[in-house]
Amino acid sequence: QVQLVESGGGLVQAGGSLRLSCAASGRTLSFYAMGWFRQAPGKEREIVATSGSSTYYAASVQGRFTISRDNAKNTVYLQMNSLKPDDTAVYYCAATGPKSLTERLSARSYDIWGQGTQVTVSS
């Protein structure tokens, strides 16, 4: 079983950038489809990006966020540029086995979750 640990969150001004990391231990991430989700206070957890057989970005982050993997480091990243106050949330990485893109858009499809990292964007 793989364990996930996120890092890289923090406080940033609007227009700034952050890079979130999701480090895995226990098994190589190359076996898994990965997703980044976020949850703002009072809102449901929503998909941000997913990487597997295909890559998907939520419309709200398209062109600003990039998901990537470094297999040598067994780490998945979320590069976030041009941040907006609406991006403020707890960000989670998650792993699952082979799934269709439609399945990977749902948090219910993911078996393994990190603890989350807070991202706060000030205006």
Side-chain angles (χ1 to χ4, degrees):
Q1 185 80 328
V2 66
Q3 293 83 41
L4 305 175
V5 177
E6 300 101 333
S7 61
L11 173 63
V12 64
Q13 288 188 331
S17 298
L18 285 173
R19 188 178 76 160
L20 305 184
S21 299
C22 174
S25 62
R27 198 177 183 193
T28 176
L29 283 179
S30 61
F31 291 112
Y32 295 87
M34 299 298 297
W36 282 98
F37 288 79
R38 66 187 181 187
Q39 188 165 18
K43 295 187 177 181
E44 292 188 357
R45 193 167 297 189
E46 63 176 3
I47 184 73
V48 174
T50 177
S51 170
S53 54
S54 58
T55 301
Y56 166 90
Y57 296 96
S60 58
V61 307
Q62 179 76 45
R64 300 188 297 122
F65 290 12
T66 303
I67 186 171
S68 63
R69 299 183 185 226
D70 185 334
N71 289 332
K73 295 183 178 180
N74 215 26
T75 300
V76 176
Y77 301 98
L78 185 69
Q79 177 66 44
M80 306 186 296
N81 299 328
S82 302
L83 283 161
K84 305 175 181 179
D86 285 349
D87 295 319
T88 295
V90 178
Y91 284 70
Y92 299 90
C93 67
T96 185
K99 296 281 195 305
S100 69
L101 176 58
T102 300
E103 290 173 312
R104 285 190 279 121
L105 300 185
S106 171
R108 291 191 297 271
S109 296
Y110 291 80
D111 312 296
I112 304 162
W113 291 84
Q115 83 286 355
T117 185
Q118 176 70 46
V119 171
T120 302
V121 184
S122 63
S123 57

